[in-house]
Amino acid sequence: MSALTDSPAWQALLDHHQEIKDVHMRDLFKKDRGRFERFSERSSGLLLDYSKNRITEKTMGLLGDLARSCGVEEARDRMFNGAHINTTEDRAVYHVALRNRSDRAMIVDGHDVMPEVRAVLEKMRHFCDDVREGRWRGVTGKRIRTIVNIGIGGSDLGVIMALQALRSYQSDDLTPRFISNVDSSHLVETLRGLDAETTLFIVSSKSFTTQETLLNATSARTWLIKKLGTDAVRHHFVAVSTNEEKVCDFGIDTDYMFPFWDWVGGRYSTWSAIGLAIALVLGMDKFEEMLEGAFAMDEHFRTSPIEHNIPIIMAMLGVWYANFFGWSTHAVLPYDQYLTRFPQYLQQVDMESNGKRVDLQGRPVDYQTGPIVFGHAGTNAQHSFFQLLHQGKWDVSMDFIGVANNHHPLRDHQTILLSNFLGQTKALMWGKTEKEVRAQLKKKGVSAERIDQLAPHMTFPGNKPTNSLVLPLITPFTIGQLLALYEHKIFVQGVVWNINSFDQWGVQLGKELARDLAPQITGEAPIMGNDCSTQGLLKYMKLLKKEYD
Ligand SMILES: O=P(O)(O)OC[C@H]1O[C@](O)(CO)[C@@H](O)[C@@H]1O
């Protein structure tokens, strides 16, 4: 047993789980009309209703005890104080400094980083204004009309997601595009139809060594040079990175490099200059509104007691289902078309952070860690995988994200959208008993034989837990709040599980092996030294390739 599973707080929850596991939420709601008041929290216009969870006040008390005994508050303070909590990389985890909108100093290694943070924001503002107002022009003197962000993972997902979410704030003057996959089809299809004279590329890479990004950037540069000549590169390429030397090697002048720092993790970097495409397309004011939203959530997280702290509550509910109910999957279901990319973005933040199997001391853990995260926008998701959520054998905890107002209030679209949001969470919680099904069918005049046949299929077990997050409207501020909320939730879970949420060694091995295999595909190295499956696949691919050459 580990210190965590052996702790009195954990043991108390194990015992309590025995009391709760067969209790139906329907009965909890029948008994207590005050559940919504008791189990909901607000912060700067955002509401979390967590009453539709398999919890009582005792559960929340015990989960709070566990958070306290795991040192969540102390860990939170260490993060906000710039301690090197990313121990395997010996770095601070300080994305909160990027959105610190107060005049508080943010100290890393005895040094206040705020002057540098503000200087980069200023540099971004000047550049964005120049591009947006037509002072920065392409090599032939034309205004920039398209921004192409070349990056992958944390240097891509948050930026695409935010720009998609904030599409209604975008003018038609500047259009964003993205190249991430090393598959050349992504590059070719993204560049198809683009006018090189009016295109600006941002090469976004924290390390500036990521194979996919560098290859894509090189091919994009070739495309540009073919059309406009070598001199065009400095008018059409800028970089965002922590690695000045590599940016220079690539041929981008460091005057046009927007720096950030090693204390910003890749998947937490949307707030840094990695967000340059957001600032260019929407304007720097909108980007800063996003930072304001994140800062509001940071302040809530930093100062609220455990019992009223939205990220901590959501994190501990996740621990409840993962570790005590033994569920492996968590669904995120935004009821707003603008948030379609949100689950995909969150998959990296959550699974790359908490998909770990050893603790901070390097010992294998004897409990489940980060869940499998998936999701899609409602109502489309209802017509896809909701069948399994309602009646399947796997149990899944869920976050529904609802947005009260719509940027495009047309007919009764928003009413129908919200009614589906509410209807689904109600159905998942309440379910429908066989008795209710039978009574309904009888009332409709269905024959007894047919009722016997249909009733088991039409019964819903219910008791499926959901969190409901409600935002007033999709704005830069609420997007900032939402992202920061999930970042902190994931952080808290990592603290409870005693894992490092800020490294990602798991992505290395495949990358290394790919580097060794590439020369075997080209023929520069003999096909050897592989297991028979890899060997067989390689040979077959080469055979097929020959047929098409
Ligand atoms: O910004 P970079 O250094 O190109 O890295 C891109 C991504 O690659 C990873 O290191 C691994 O997937 C991510 O953490 C990161 O977001």
Side-chain angles (χ1 to χ4, degrees):
M1 258 191 185
S2 60
L4 177 61
T5 53
D6 203 22
S7 68
W10 188 276
Q11 290 296 323
L13 277 160
L14 275 181
D15 291 343
H16 177 61
H17 177 249
Q18 294 305 312
E19 298 163 14
I20 286 285
K21 68 180 180 20
D22 298 320
V23 174
H24 201 292
M25 276 191 277
R26 196 190 299 140
D27 298 320
L28 295 173
F29 270 91
K30 277 186 200 158
K31 265 194 245 153
D32 180 5
R33 293 194 154 269
R35 261 182 94 77
F36 174 78
E37 283 309 321
R38 210 180 316 291
F39 298 128
S40 61
E41 291 294 338
R42 285 168 206 215
S43 167
S44 307
L46 174 149
L47 171 105
L48 166 69
D49 166 25
Y50 61 104
S51 60
K52 292 194 187 88
N53 275 288
R54 292 170 69 171
I55 52 160
T56 60
E57 277 191 295
K58 182 173 172 188
T59 322
M60 293 316 293
L62 292 174
L63 288 171
D65 291 345
L66 180 65
R68 250 180 295 275
S69 74
C70 292
V72 164
E73 291 154 306
E74 293 79 1
R76 172 191 63 188
D77 295 347
R78 279 203 302 282
M79 175 169 77
F80 276 93
N81 290 331
H84 283 214
I85 58 172
N86 177 354
T87 47
T88 56
E89 295 175 321
D90 192 16
R91 288 174 186 167
V93 172
Y94 223 25
H95 43 278
V96 290
L98 300 169
R99 59 226 191 183
N100 169 29
R101 311 299 286 171
S102 72
D103 50 17
R104 255 197 327 270
M106 300 294 282
I107 312 285
V108 177
D109 300 326
H111 155 84
D112 180 9
V113 298
M114 285 317 296
E116 296 156 66
V117 168
R118 292 195 189 102
V120 174
L121 286 173
E122 220 22 59
K123 183 170 176 176
M124 286 169 71
R125 179 174 286 280
H126 278 130
F127 181 67
C128 290
D129 289 351
D130 283 353
V131 173
R132 289 167 62 82
E133 287 158 26
R135 287 187 293 278
W136 173 291
R137 294 191 173 228
V139 67
T140 56
K142 288 195 180 165
R143 281 180 81 138
I144 299 300
R145 298 287 178 205
T146 308
I147 306 292
V148 180
N149 190 77
I150 303 179
I152 195 164
S155 300
D156 168 68
L157 291 166
V159 183
I160 299 195
M161 185 273 300
L163 275 172
Q164 205 217 38
L166 300 170
R167 178 85 178 80
S168 62
Y169 294 85
Q170 190 185 309
S171 78
D172 292 334
D173 296 345
L174 267 181
T175 310
R177 295 203 183 185
F178 298 88
I179 303 174
S180 52
N181 197 335
V182 76
D183 181 342
S184 43
S185 302
H186 197 185
L187 181 120
V188 170
E189 292 300 342
T190 306
L191 298 185
R192 187 203 287 261
L194 281 193
D195 176 4
E197 292 176 77
T198 60
T199 299
L200 177 71
F201 292 93
I202 307 174
V203 186
S204 292
S205 175
K206 180 179 171 182
S207 58
F208 229 79
T209 58
T210 302
Q211 193 185 37
E212 293 94 325
T213 300
L214 289 192
L215 189 53
N216 278 326
T218 305
S219 297
R221 189 178 55 189
T222 304
W223 175 86
L224 184 87
I225 290 173
K226 257 194 204 155
K227 291 182 186 275
L228 301 175
T230 313
D231 190 43
V233 174
R234 65 193 179 90
H235 297 265
H236 293 265
F237 269 81
V238 298
V240 180
S241 187
T242 58
N243 193 338
E244 198 172 310
E245 198 185 319
K246 294 274 180 205
V247 170
C248 281
D249 292 350
F250 182 83
I252 296 176
D253 193 323
T254 46
D255 278 355
Y256 309 127
M257 168 183 157
F258 297 83
F260 62 112
W261 308 272
D262 72 353
W263 42 261
V264 182
R267 52 194 173 275
Y268 298 90
S269 64
T270 311
W271 319 102
S272 71
I274 288 289
L276 184 64
I278 305 174
L280 275 165
V281 173
L282 304 181
M284 194 61 193
D285 288 347
K286 292 278 172 284
F287 183 69
E288 296 208 30
E289 280 173 36
M290 225 176 97
L291 301 184
E292 297 280 355
F295 178 62
M297 184 51 71
D298 291 344
E299 287 300 273
H300 168 84
F301 176 55
R302 194 174 66 83
T303 58
S304 303
I306 286 181
E307 289 68 26
H308 299 290
N309 195 307
I310 296 175
I312 301 184
I313 292 169
M314 286 180 67
M316 298 315 291
L317 288 168
V319 167
W320 180 227
Y321 296 118
N323 300 114
F324 298 93
F325 283 79
W327 299 352
S328 59
T329 316
H330 184 72
V332 178
L333 307 158
Y335 273 63
D336 193 300
Q337 184 63 18
Y338 283 126
L339 293 178
T340 304
R341 293 287 304 221
F342 186 66
Q344 214 176 332
Y345 153 81
L346 203 59
Q347 280 179 324
Q348 188 204 14
V349 186
D350 202 327
M351 296 202 273
E352 202 171 79
S353 297
N354 285 344
K356 307 287 164 64
R357 58 191 302 114
V358 296
D359 68 11
L360 284 171
Q361 291 70 34
R363 300 169 300 209
V365 298
D366 62 350
Y367 41 84
Q368 199 48 263
T369 56
I372 299 160
V373 177
F374 80 107
H376 190 51
T379 57
N380 290 13
Q382 290 172 206
H383 296 269
S384 167
F385 52 80
F386 268 43
Q387 166 64 39
L388 182 146
L389 300 179
H390 283 287
Q391 290 185 315
K393 286 292 284 176
W394 297 109
D395 284 300
V396 179
S397 57
M398 291 162 263
D399 294 344
F400 276 67
I401 304 171
V403 184
N405 297 289
N406 197 294
H407 283 282
H408 311 286
L410 269 185
R411 287 207 179 112
D412 49 0
H413 286 258
Q414 183 65 2
T415 309
I416 303 296
L417 180 65
L418 292 179
S419 64
N420 271 279
F421 170 96
L422 295 169
Q424 289 296 330
T425 55
K426 198 172 167 188
L428 286 159
M429 182 273 279
W430 207 259
K432 197 169 182 182
T433 63
E434 188 163 336
K435 200 171 152 201
E436 286 164 346
V437 172
R438 283 178 179 278
Q440 196 181 38
L441 290 174
K442 198 171 169 194
K443 210 169 158 195
K444 281 190 184 158
V446 178
S447 72
E449 198 188 338
R450 187 95 174 110
I451 291 177
D452 284 344
Q453 185 197 6
L454 290 180
H457 297 277
M458 292 174 68
T459 299
F460 287 69
N463 216 15
K464 311 277 187 189
T466 58
N467 289 317
S468 293
L469 278 170
V470 181
L471 308 174
L473 179 72
I474 296 291
T475 64
F477 184 91
T478 57
I479 288 298
Q481 266 180 307
L482 189 67
L483 268 53
L485 160 57
Y486 276 93
E487 286 178 348
H488 294 321
K489 173 204 156 178
I490 291 160
F491 165 78
V492 170
Q493 292 187 328
V495 174
V496 171
W497 292 322
N498 190 31
I499 55 178
N500 185 350
S501 302
F502 301 103
D503 59 12
Q504 56 284 319
W505 301 102
V507 300
Q508 293 305 330
L509 179 60
K511 280 193 210 170
E512 282 162 26
L513 297 185
R515 281 188 201 276
D516 292 345
L517 286 162
Q520 297 186 44
I521 296 175
T522 57
E524 287 159 84
I527 300 182
M528 59 186 287
N530 303 302
D531 58 84
C532 65
S533 163
T534 310
Q535 193 85 355
L537 289 167
L538 252 171
K539 284 187 178 161
Y540 190 61
M541 283 173 181
K542 287 193 80 159
L543 190 76
L544 290 184
K545 206 169 172 300
K546 252 190 216 149
E547 284 174 21
Y548 278 84
D549 278 346

